[in-house]
Amino acid sequence: MLIFEHATPGRRATAQAPATMADIDLPKRFARKSPTGLPEVSEMQAVRHYTRLSQKNFSIDTHFYPLGSCTMKYNPRACNSLAMLPGMLNRHPHAPLSHSQGFLQMMYELQEMLKEVTGMAGVSLTPMAGAQGEFAGIAMIRAYHDSRGDAERSEILVPDAAHGTNPATAIMCGYKVREIPTDEQGDVDLDALKAAVGPQTAGLMLTNPSTLGVFERNIMEIARIVHEAGGLLYYDGANLNAILGKVRPGDMGFDVIHMNLHKTFSTPHGGGGPGSGAVGVAERLMPYRPIPVVARDGDTYRWLTEDDLPDSMGRLSAFAGNAGVLIRAYIYMRMLGKAGMPRIAEFATLNANYLEKRLVEAGFDAAFPQRRASHEFIITLQKEAKELKVTAMDFAKRLLDFGFHAPTTYFPLLVPECLLIEPTESETKEEIDGFVAAMVAILEEARNEPDTVRSAPHTMPNRRFDEVSAARKPDLRWRPGE
Amino acid sequence: MLIFEHATPGRRATAQAPATMADIDLPKRFARKSPTGLPEVSEMQAVRHYTRLSQKNFSIDTHFYPLGSCTMKYNPRACNSLAMLPGMLNRHPHAPLSHSQGFLQMMYELQEMLKEVTGMAGVSLTPMAGAQGEFAGIAMIRAYHDSRGDAERSEILVPDAAHGTNPATAIMCGYKVREIPTDEQGDVDLDALKAAVGPQTAGLMLTNPSTLGVFERNIMEIARIVHEAGGLLYYDGANLNAILGKVRPGDMGFDVIHMNLHKTFSTPHGGGGPGSGAVGVAERLMPYRPIPVVARDGDTYRWLTEDDLPDSMGRLSAFAGNAGVLIRAYIYMRMLGKAGMPRIAEFATLNANYLEKRLVEAGFDAAFPQRRASHEFIITLQKEAKELKVTAMDFAKRLLDFGFHAPTTYFPLLVPECLLIEPTESETKEEIDGFVAAMVAILEEARNEPDTVRSAPHTMPNRRFDEVSAARKPDLRWRPGE
Amino acid sequence: MPFIPHTPEEIEQMLATIGADDIETLFDEIPANIRCQSLDGIPPAASEMEIAREVQAMADRDAGALNFIGAGAYEHHIPAAVWQLTTRGEFYTAYTPYQAEASQGTLQLIYEYQTMMTGLTGMDVSNASLYDGASALGEAILMAVRVHRKSKSRKILVPASLHPNYRKAAETIVKHQGIELVELPIDPQTGRIDPTALEQYSGEDITALAIPQPNFYGVLEEADELTAWAEQNNTLVIGVVNPFALGLLKPPGEWGENGADVVCGDGQPLGAPLSSGGPYYGILCCKQAHVRQMPGRIVGRAVDADGKKGFVLTLQAREQHIRRSKATSNICTNQGLVVTASTIHMALLGPVGLRNAAALSMANTRKLVEKAAAIGIAPRFSGEYFHEVALQLGQPAAGVLERMAANNVLGGYDLGQVNPSMADSILVCATETKTDADIDRFIDTLQAAL
Amino acid sequence: MPFIPHTPEEIEQMLATIGADDIETLFDEIPANIRCQSLDGIPPAASEMEIAREVQAMADRDAGALNFIGAGAYEHHIPAAVWQLTTRGEFYTAYTPYQAEASQGTLQLIYEYQTMMTGLTGMDVSNASLYDGASALGEAILMAVRVHRKSKSRKILVPASLHPNYRKAAETIVKHQGIELVELPIDPQTGRIDPTALEQYSGEDITALAIPQPNFYGVLEEADELTAWAEQNNTLVIGVVNPFALGLLKPPGEWGENGADVVCGDGQPLGAPLSSGGPYYGILCCKQAHVRQMPGRIVGRAVDADGKKGFVLTLQAREQHIRRSKATSNICTNQGLVVTASTIHMALLGPVGLRNAAALSMANTRKLVEKAAAIGIAPRFSGEYFHEVALQLGQPAAGVLERMAANNVLGGYDLGQVNPSMADSILVCATETKTDADIDRFIDTLQAAL
Ligand SMILES: Cc1ncc(COP(=O)(O)O)c(C=O)c1O
Ligand SMILES: Cc1ncc(COP(=O)(O)O)c(C=O)c1O
């Protein structure tokens, strides 16, 4: 039942609003006449409705959630309670510096820690998700070339394994996109890269480890090729969890990076967000950082704005990005500490390699069996799809019945029938073993009673949906009287 | 799975404790050698385990919960967040008055509001649940008689409909219990009462409305009889919700009362408590109030202790009772306000009478069909038990499958096959109608497929339990190696 | 090891299964010469207890002031239930509902959100959120350009009465795509878009006109007239609204003859705490005809294999994970959790709660203006305002605000930051959270600071 | 109407169904002459926003001090997860699990709690909680009297080293049942039970001896010797423990030869915030043989109709709702929610977390004592202490504490309140929450206040 179906005209959550409408003199031409359509429910009805709705979700707090490329790890509860202290929640973004030193200090220290873990010269926290960080990064690349009068560079190179945000971002920044193929080992095809670079090359966007779940071994060679062509190197930090404290983007030759703090630094992104796509830059891109940035003058902290960074690629939001997310990331990083950083990469990698090995031993095909897994890896169910007519999607849906959130399916696009599996460091061996057992059981079902798998899930609030009809005749809102 | 079954030796929620054990010099004879047996789990495991466990509960926030005599109404979320402000949580019970004025003011105002709604001369907030309030009340009756040298009074009268805590309390206070029967209308049998009172009568404990869901109409006559015999009148306030702002115990002639703040004033009592059994007293019992009590001297507030109330019946706890519960009750009362108090009684009563009428129309037997329901009422399934061999317990269990918590079953003991149903004022008409529909559907099932009802529930985490074996061979804790 | 559950025995077992000697071996594909050394710039791990105390101290440092600043972020009462429910693990620690069957909670909630937002704005369709109001304006402009294929100019009229940071963010976002943002000046008298300035563009190919309501100065724009102008000139209308104000104000879907084409704004006033500027969320609504140019996630109702209704992400062919370089936007992660809070917030307010709170905010700001008049301070503009107003102080605002802040009253936003010609003015907002005593304190503090 | 969902139409419909003209009619059985008038002593309704502001102000008024008071309520780090989980609606707004099938969450949790508590105390059985430590001592004494049927004296030795309010509450609770609490003096030198005083009772019929560990003064009692005495004298032992200390201390189940018979204490240090004294919870554990004399709820594992394991309230024949006047106690509502928090707390601490936090608390108090020595302040007693200690100031403690409080340091508990002869002494506790800087601040503030 929708909240609107619980509503009755005239009902209210009385404690939540002024009892009567204040006297106001709003001229008729500005005034609302039509109803707002908000539901009329009691406070308890709202609480009960949304409590029950929530129970229909899988989440990290209830289920193993090995969604590849999304780093669904434990979100420490302390980050939540501290970020929600009244003093944190009530600070206005335009509060004067006299009432901002606590917050600014935290943001400054976060910038410094992020510089340290990435090896970059400067950081701006303002982008509000990975994709916005990409935008900021590519726009900085453009600003850099422009500042040198190097205006002919019109192309951004993107490996075919790249996340969809990479090419979409390049387009938003006014570039053309040229795809670079992947070789059989999962590395960027160097010959193709060499053939692609030229004076038109503005830069290359790379995720490392890539979305194929392997570390790009030729990274130094790639950096050389791109740099020699006059291009800059962009690092998509979605997979930073894999290498935290092990190798730094700055040391790999990247000029500009974004980080997905909501992944690597564990801020919850409930139901789709919010995230944070903080960016880091090498020295030569410092002038172009998105504003605002926090600076320290002796003992006090202040914002750097247009006046301080006149060549900035610009502002990306009304204020300074997703502050509440940044506070959570800060707290998480402080709880990890210096020794905790590399451990994240180590145990994320250990879990992924262990899980991959166990699945391979159980008869599944790894997409890159000859490679080490990074923090994630790909299983391809091509064989099962062909022989048993049971697809990756079928496995994914059946996993739900076994109490596991499905891995990422059908991404990256170049591996057919793939599951991109990222267990993260916070899962136990038992949980991973349980997942293997479920995969094995499903494979058994696929052989003996394939329809059970094909028609899964069977235990969820809904069975499989007809998405095609839904898209053809979109029903995007409830209408009164339904 | 038990939390212990998720554990592995050596695992820890590392962020939660000092990294290493501090150097201490604890002499061997004091030191622990055996393991504590606490589970060794990660933080995420604990969060996931208890999140999932919680989902197995019915609760007000998820289900209609018409548990008679328990007043399971909406618990406003604001009471929780405000009672859990750091300033509230961190106050030490022995904090000096200089650091206690905010808290004491709140408690003082709560005392005053409770005096107003009950018509009593004084209030002590210290009892920690209804039963402890009863204890305080009966001990005050004893102290009163003792102070007058009236030491022969050895009996407490208790109607047969009384809650079990009433006779149990009387015994704890060193009294004998004499039961008074109920007449056919649900009122106290006046002749029996007259016959029972005498110089041995210390007092009478009465719930009004009674646990039969009806208002004791002869209350003034009862008060006269007891008082004339030299006894005092005790009010069990479990059902105060029914008469809030309509009639006050003080005005009905009660000398001492307890209130169940966790019922009437809506503090959550998750999983069995905590509650608060604040007591109110008539003028002549003022000296005997349990300590501490908050007093106001001009602009400042302070505790009254043994020095101020040397005749107090005593202390009931190490500090001053369930402060966090009292804060929640205070906030709730302030949100209700003067106009809100009688409305609680009105709508609790409206819902109960409506639900009773609908069930009677649907063919169920009310225990007292000729009476008005108070905030609750009794349905007796004697007919169904006899004719269909489907009992009140069967109905109760089957209701769970329909998404409703069962009413109180088999209490009060004098009505056979009874369901004591208390919808509370915070439920909507739709919800009540839904409950009626479920009862009707179950009645239908009882006629057509009685085994479905007898073997219910069918949709819960467990089917019906073998409670007899459980009590015969109690398994009261998990043991390592199980 | 914080947040890592592995015991030494398990590590051994897992390595044995993998066939690796140690964990370090798993990193052997990383060139040795670039491996990083210990991160000495990171402090040692703090326990939860330790960091809690530090963060509490930082929070305390900034706390305690009475706030009258708005300027795009507004202090409102948020029911306690909102974030208690939103931070339930099942909402808080889920992600984008890719697996619809295991995400019906989030999906249904977004569908309810879309319904509420279309109701509030009077538009046909809402997406599931963008980042914030400013970036949403950028996306709205890009969307308008895609939708209005007939218009070749790619010129967007962006009034000076629009939030300055919205204008800057939009510029940042659209400038690489040959789009020109043309500033439309305000009438210095009324504080709203100068109608004669707009008249100059009549007959020109203008792709879209952005209309803020209320505008940055709190003033109500003549939205009907502006929309009528746009309709006559074949120009799309982008409404930039404060959704809280829509409790009282005519919804953009009803402006002019046919309503706005695209509506954006910041959802913050509906359930997001001030929180230093974020996370808030960007609203984006449009007419039905434009839905396939909409960026961001959209939830639709669907039917499952049993014929039972439920909810799915739909129209995904607009999005980057399907369409890559041809997507309507690069947005992926959005502001889901804030939308969760906002949906619960709107359900708890209901139509009357929203209207009354909006009216009380409006009345409070009027009260403040009246009391300011008594000490000789008047509004800078004559246009009708909602719950925010520019006051002219007759002296540099910066100093006045500083002196007020020293008394723990944050007196407003210094308009000199936007325009040096307004350096004697502040923007002040008194929402429903302000009592008469608060307003008196504002006035007293202001007077003392003048 | 706060928290009432009825609309006028619904009220009409419902009254029509009932057949009543108005709601007032439903109260027509109440004698008219006692009906109450309007409650003028109750203020008008405050909205959530209004009350939130008031309560925040009250909370702020009492906040901000650095606390070194213990005396029965101890400041410990509580993991953020504990109360975030505990206040989930399904825990927070459920009640006693009467319907086992719909309450497996709470029931399993209590079973886990019972397991943890028996592990900590070394006892066989735990109930599901009593109100608090003090009242639990009262119940423990009543239980001991019921259990020890051979002992006719009903005399309980209650040492003066036991928390004074525990002694008072126990007295209140047991005094009507012919039970005599006999005070056992402490050795003024060591601060523990005076062994010679105990010796005087050898051979006498004493029903039970209560042993606090640590005792009110923070001193560790010679629990083994005391228990041995009791065993020799056919006296039951009631352990009164701080469960937090059991991370390090020998559990009462292992005292003497056979361990304590009944163990009580306050669960507060395991997950309950100070919260002005409550809600905390009372621990009650016992030997297997005594279980049927145990008051309070008990959860047991059971098998359902499908043979599946689960949990139920069990042994209910001890309780008032079944046995009425013959019940083991009148207790009904207990402290379930706090037990929920405490169970989660113990799971998060684990054995190492508890032990390390206990050790750090002990070390911190030692540090404080050492630094106090440097300014000439020494412990009052020579007995070994856990994490709390009596310091002798050489001047009236009340004034010193007041001067410290004026500097926002709550320096301890004034022992003059317990015993005028100790009016120059304070009881001080430095748990794991205290840093070296805190301890230095304590010393500096103390020195300034002397
Ligand atoms: C590899 C990769 N790059 C970029 C992104 C985009 O990040 P965001 O979703 O935070 O915008 C993602 C996120 O899903 C990703 O997996
Ligand atoms: C009628 C009645 N009296 C007394 C009590 C005892 O109150 P408590 O459970 O708070 O001890 C109850 C509670 O259930 C009750 O219903």
Side-chain angles (χ1 to χ4, degrees), chain A residues 14 49 99 121 134 158-159 251 270 294 363-364 401 432 445 452:
Chain A
T14 316
H49 177 71
H99 289 72
E134 292 177 30
V158 175
D251 300 334
V294 179
F364 290 95
D401 287 330
I432 294 173
E445 285 180 342
T452 305

Side-chain angles (χ1 to χ4, degrees), chain B residues 145-351:
Chain B
H145 291 309
D146 286 354
S147 76
R148 296 158 39 105
D150 195 359
E152 294 311 295
R153 297 185 179 273
S154 60
E155 268 183 16
I156 292 283
L157 306 178
V158 176
D160 56 1
H163 194 261
T165 50
N166 293 183
T169 297
I171 296 291
M172 285 183 81
C173 289
Y175 284 112
K176 287 195 285 278
V177 174
R178 179 183 292 213
E179 272 204 359
I180 309 293
T182 301
D183 71 18
E184 264 168 30
Q185 300 275 317
D187 291 318
V188 166
D189 182 329
L190 285 186
D191 291 336
L193 176 64
K194 280 179 205 152
V197 296
Q200 80 290 358
T201 303
L204 168 70
M205 298 180 84
L206 201 67
T207 319
N208 198 12
S210 73
T211 58
L212 298 168
V214 295
F215 189 83
E216 175 56 62
R217 289 171 294 192
N218 303 316
I219 178 60
M220 299 313 285
E221 175 67 2
I222 291 169
R224 199 189 49 76
I225 295 167
V226 173
H227 284 147
E228 281 182 2
L232 297 188
L233 212 59
Y234 182 89
Y235 180 73
D236 173 340
N239 294 343
L240 186 62
N241 213 53
I243 55 166
L244 205 57
K246 293 288 162 185
V247 56
R248 308 190 303 176
D251 300 334
M252 289 191 266
F254 286 97
D255 300 288
V256 50
I257 72 170
H258 85 261
M259 296 155 266
N260 296 67
L261 301 189
H262 49 299
K263 299 179 179 178
T264 313
F265 300 113
S266 196
T267 67
H269 22 315
S276 167
V279 287
V281 296
E283 202 58 61
R284 54 179 158 174
L285 292 179
M286 288 290 277
Y288 312 113
R289 279 169 293 164
I291 44 178
V293 171
V294 180
R296 175 178 176 163
D297 297 335
D299 267 357
T300 60
Y301 300 88
R302 68 180 181 90
W303 293 110
L304 298 185
T305 65
E306 288 85 350
D307 298 336
D308 308 279
L309 291 170
D311 295 327
S312 164
M313 60 72 59
R315 273 188 194 272
L316 291 161
S317 62
F319 303 105
N322 282 335
V325 177
L326 299 169
I327 294 169
R328 285 170 172 84
Y330 171 79
I331 296 166
Y332 178 73
M333 291 186 83
R334 290 292 311 281
M335 287 198 288
L336 288 186
K338 174 179 151 171
M341 298 289 164
R343 272 201 305 251
I344 294 296
E346 289 166 10
F347 288 89
T349 302
L350 179 66
N351 275 356

Side-chain angles (χ1 to χ4, degrees), chain A residues 365-378:
Chain A
D365 290 335
F368 300 97
Q370 66 284 59
R371 299 291 307 269
R372 295 270 183 224
S374 63
H375 66 310
E376 63 189 2
F377 62 94
I378 298 175

